Amino acid sequence: MTGDVFDDLVGQPEAVETLRAASAAADLILRGQPSPPGVMTHSWLFTGPAGSGRSTAARAFAAALQCVRGGVGCGECSGCHTVLAGTHSDVRFVVPDGLSIPVAQMRELVLRAASAPTAGRWQVLVVADADRLTEAAGNALLKAVEEPPDRTVFLLCAPSTHPDDISVTIRSRCRLVPLRQPGADAVASLLTRRDGVPADVAAWAAAAAQGHVGRARRLAADSHARTRRDAVLAVPRQLTTVGACFDAAASLIEAAEAEAVDAVAAVDAAERSALEMALGAGGTGKGAAGAARGSAGQLKELEKRQKSRATRAQRDALDRALMDLAGFYRDVLNAQFGAAVAPIHTDVDQVTRAAAAKWRPESTLRRLEAVLACREAIDTNVKPKIAVEAMMLALWRG
Ligand SMILES: [Zn+2]
């Protein structure tokens, strides 16, 4: 292995080839030399399911564009390093805190992306979840994408090219880089190679994470993540009465809330103390009362943003739990049909086989559908508690 910036992009040979060719062409353009036409372009759209590595791909490409060793993405030069560390002055990452990316943030970023690159190569704007742009923010971005400055590159990431995820007009201006769900083998070998995870743990985590690289890494490294998953996989056995269904729903929601609190607590506290510091909290001098009124507004604004981020984190946590649960029912179904597919949850093999012997395939399928319906309901803004309770009852009835 070369160990360059594309190394982390597992199971995506076509995408890596496209991006390597583009960054090599981009380097020729910078040096004023003839470059193959159409290989490098200003706007890119990375699509693929969650965990397929959309933002990893965008980040690697950004690093290769800033690589001072001829745009190869060597992974060792100052350009590559600073991009990967998130500190390069000409690469900005837009990662939405909450449920959507506000227009003000997008306008500011677009403006900065239009300025000349300070390090002499490219100005790169990476929008990690372009599907969370508000309509107004999307329009602000579209204007820039339609008439990109010479040295500006836009890298957008979205689950798919569906109009729900990305506007048709933005899509039409972008070169598409489709990513697929990497296979469990590819994910496992990445965990072993890069993080030093033992091969058997890596194989288990990669299968359980269903192709989601970040999730696989967490399962391999974080005992809390493993405990939460164990609790989710215990749910099917707990549904013995109506009361048990409501209890299971309540604990699933609570677990997602707790996980979300853990996920955002450190960032929330850091943001608050930074803001208080900036506002000079505790000032008593002349004008302090007026300043206090202004700072109350800013604190309120911060709290609003943090609340939105917490809601997002909670939904993400709940969705991961539902994916684990869906994986269990899929394993049961595969066992019932003797399908030659590798199981997702290899460590609960006995429970899977017991369920396969006890249930009829139709009722397993109904259960799987109930989990998927619950995900969809939450996605369309049904209150999580309502959706999860309905699901638990359906899982119990079978
Ligand atoms: Zn480099």
Side-chain angles (χ1 to χ4, degrees), residues 5 63 66-69 72-81:
V5 295
Q66 306 294 15
C67 177
V68 300
R69 294 188 187 158
V72 295
C74 68
E76 289 163 354
C77 73
S78 62
C80 287
H81 255 285

